[in-house]
Amino acid sequence: MRAALILAVCLLSGGQAAWGHAALVSADPAPGAVLDRAPDAVVLNFNEPVSVTALRLLGPQGPAADVASAQAGGLSIRVPLPGSTAQGTYLLSWRVVSADGHPVGGTLDYAVGASSGPARVDEATAVPSGRQAAIWLGRWLGYLCLFACLGAALFRARNPLDRPRWAWPLVWLGLGLLPVNLGLQGLDLLDRPVSALLDGPAWSAALGSRYAWTLGLSALALSASAGALHARGAGRVRVCAGAGLALAGVALAASGHAGTAPPQWLSRSLVVLHVATAAAWLGALAPLIRLLGAGRKRPVTQGPSTGLALLAWFSRWITPVVAALLVSGFGLALLQLDQPGDLWRTPYGLVLSTKLALVCGLLALAAFNRWVCTGPALAGEATACRRLRRSMQVETAVAVILLGVVSLWRFTPPPRSLDAAVESGVTHDSGHAGTAPLLLSDARARAAVTRSGGVWTILLSDPAGRPLTAQGVTLALSNPQAGIEPLRREARRMADGRWQAETGVLSSAVTGHWRVGVEILIDDFEQVTLEGALPP
């Protein structure tokens, strides 16, 4: 085991770069450019290949319009623009799907001739926040069903005479959730409301994404689990259970943040190992609780495939499984995090920190079960069996919460992806948004935002009104009701302590339901995001 750990650390020490979401690194015309004449096309350059899901052009004299027939080639997308002679501000809102199967959006601003007056927006494209909640809930329930079914299949591989009827409703629920999650993916790719779930374009977009592979492989994993629950021969049961574990690992490696981190042969292998070992551990809890619960009615008997023998079997193999789980998780964290401060400074890191805290709780419970309760239970003590069962029920509750937390990663790009967007100085979907003149505040910081022409001035202070020193400030503007993705600008610090960001010609178009956000990097350990709405 020591040799394996040393080898894993050596392999992972070389993994310095990682991708999660794609990032826009440059554009032609450049953000904020003022052109003599309207361009024939816009070119967007990303740090990895992407596919276009939605393009919307907001002109100086009309509502947002969809732009069709974008030409993708490698890392670049060429967007032919409709002919227009109108002078003023143009906003090209783009939404693409990256290699990890997740949508990424942003806005490119440019002007022709001179900046325009206020641009009108179409409020009919408002997207309810319920879509993200539905996506999270669908993934959470899907993970619960998949892991529970795999655990039931794994235990039946050891005890073919068992018939876990309780697992069949979870099999059918898991299979039923797959098309729902596919449809929600299509809505997210096209930035459509939940009411558009029956529209054909949403399903076409979802079927063309990498996430469709994840759902298809998940269907095979659930089918293999069902085969293990139904098969009669011991050999068939074991083959189906093993295939289910492998397919589940491959399914979650087919899309998502972790599997796209280079070198992908390493990251995807770690994801497969991490998912398979997590399913073997967490999925086994329900069958074990059921086994110990049967002991309340009759003694937990000795035998080759029942009672205490199954508990002893689980106790023997779970330690190396958990060790492999921790090693693979550590490797994936190294590939995604840029520095330790990302654990508490980024949304991705906060989710990871919460997951790690829950994992520590699971490990404490597992250690208590393994080294305090299991020995007396195997000796036949009824009190020890009841105590072990109660502890495993708590462990199962923590595991359910853990899978819910993990499902939040669907909305949080890894820190290295955020770094790529910040370094490029262009728009990224992870921004927040706001208005001027405006006072934004929370319990940690305040920001007074004013606008003069295309220059935004930000004055920072603490809640007591004293000047606040920061390492960096980012201004973000968006209009969700109009389907305009966030537009970000890095602010520069002035000699008097204020921060300034320029949006150029965009400033005259900011009206209606626009939102502004100020992201304040206070130090290496703390980042504060303040946001609010611009007055009409």
Side-chain angles (χ1 to χ4, degrees):
M1 182 60 67
R2 284 198 299 270
L5 290 175
I6 293 173
L7 175 60
V9 171
C10 291
L11 288 173
L12 297 174
S13 63
Q16 296 299 319
W19 299 335
H21 292 279
L24 181 68
V25 295
S26 64
D28 183 19
V34 180
L35 310 175
D36 294 332
R37 61 183 183 87
D40 297 328
V42 168
V43 178
L44 306 175
N45 300 308
F46 295 84
N47 65 335
E48 64 175 274
V50 295
S51 300
V52 179
T53 62
L55 292 167
R56 189 173 294 115
L57 183 64
L58 178 64
Q61 298 178 348
D66 290 334
V67 181
S69 67
Q71 303 167 3
L75 305 180
S76 299
I77 294 178
R78 186 176 186 275
V79 185
L81 300 179
S84 175
T85 59
Q87 293 190 347
T89 299
Y90 288 82
L91 302 177
L92 177 65
S93 178
W94 51 266
R95 195 169 182 85
V96 300
V97 57
S98 56
D100 62 1
H102 293 170
V104 181
T107 294
L108 172 70
D109 62 305
Y110 65 92
V112 176
S115 56
S116 64
R120 297 193 300 271
V121 298
D122 182 7
E123 298 182 11
T125 59
V127 179
S129 58
R131 186 185 66 199
Q132 285 195 340
I135 292 173
W136 170 79
L137 182 60
R139 295 212 172 193
W140 185 21
L141 294 177
Y143 289 154
L144 289 174
C145 293
L146 180 61
F147 279 38
C149 293
L150 291 173
L154 183 64
F155 259 70
R156 188 161 189 266
R158 181 67 179 180
N159 182 18
L161 297 179
D162 185 30
R163 291 285 181 175
R165 295 183 178 87
W166 60 269
W168 281 105
L170 297 178
V171 172
W172 298 120
L173 177 60
L175 291 173
L177 285 170
L178 296 178
V180 175
N181 287 335
L182 182 65
L184 291 173
Q185 172 76 359
L187 296 180
D188 204 32
L189 293 177
L190 299 181
D191 197 18
R192 301 287 176 84
V194 177
S195 59
L197 186 60
L198 299 180
D199 293 349
W203 291 94
S204 298
L207 289 171
S209 68
R210 296 182 64 90
Y211 188 56
W213 284 91
T214 291
L215 295 179
L217 291 168
S218 297
L220 293 178
L222 286 169
S223 300
S225 300
L229 299 177
H230 180 72
R232 294 187 179 275
R236 294 179 180 178
V237 174
R238 291 169 184 169
V239 169
C240 289
L245 280 176
L247 286 168
V250 175
L252 297 188
S255 67
H257 304 127
T260 58
Q264 290 196 15
W265 66 267
L266 176 60
S267 61
R268 294 191 187 277
S269 299
L270 289 175
V271 172
V272 172
L273 178 61
H274 195 65
V275 172
T277 51
W281 177 19
L282 304 182
L285 296 176
L288 274 175
I289 293 173
R290 177 173 171 267
L291 172 68
L292 295 172
R296 295 180 301 171
K297 301 178 181 178
R298 60 181 183 274
V300 184
T301 60
Q302 294 280 6
S305 300
T306 59
L308 299 179
L310 286 174
L311 179 59
W313 166 74
F314 175 79
S315 180
R316 284 194 302 271
W317 64 257
I318 192 59
T319 301
V321 167
V322 172
L325 174 71
L326 296 177
V327 169
S328 57
F330 177 72
L332 291 171
L334 285 181
L335 290 176
Q336 297 297 347
L337 296 178
D338 189 22
Q339 51 189 329
D342 291 332
L343 283 172
W344 53 84
R345 209 170 49 217
T346 65
Y348 182 94
L350 291 175
V351 173
L352 178 57
S353 298
T354 305
K355 177 192 174 183
L356 292 177
L358 292 172
V359 169
C360 289
L362 284 175
L363 290 174
L365 289 169
F368 174 77
N369 296 339
R370 173 65 177 82
W371 286 293
V372 176
C373 300
T374 300
L378 291 175
E381 295 183 13
T383 302
C385 288
R386 290 193 295 270
R387 183 172 56 196
L388 179 60
R389 185 173 185 268
R390 287 195 298 267
S391 179
M392 283 189 172
Q393 288 174 335
V394 176
E395 191 176 355
T396 302
V398 176
V400 170
I401 297 173
L402 173 64
L403 292 177
V405 171
V406 169
S407 302
L408 292 173
W409 265 330
R410 171 61 176 78
F411 313 106
T412 56
R416 291 182 185 270
S417 296
L418 296 177
D419 292 342
V422 171
E423 290 171 2
S424 67
V426 293
T427 304
H428 193 276
D429 190 34
S430 62
H432 301 274
T435 124
L438 190 64
L439 178 62
L440 308 174
S441 63
D442 68 2
R444 296 168 292 176
R446 299 169 60 186
V449 184
T450 57
R451 177 171 61 91
S452 176
V455 179
W456 299 75
T457 302
I458 304 167
L459 179 62
L460 302 180
S461 62
D462 62 15
R466 297 183 296 266
L468 178 65
T469 302
Q471 291 187 1
V473 175
T474 301
L475 176 74
L477 302 168
S478 68
N479 197 323
Q481 288 80 11
I484 303 300
E485 301 288 344
L487 186 147
R488 295 162 58 92
R489 286 290 191 272
E490 297 297 320
R492 65 181 186 277
R493 186 172 182 175
M494 310 302 291
D496 58 3
R498 296 178 299 168
W499 296 79
Q500 283 191 353
E502 297 182 7
T503 57
V505 295
L506 171 66
S507 58
S508 60
V510 177
T511 187
H513 297 278
W514 286 87
R515 295 184 60 82
V516 64
V518 177
E519 300 173 2
I520 308 168
L521 180 61
I522 296 179
D523 52 37
D524 289 338
F525 306 98
E526 184 177 9
Q527 177 171 302
V528 177
T529 299
L530 309 176
E531 57 183 348
L534 284 172

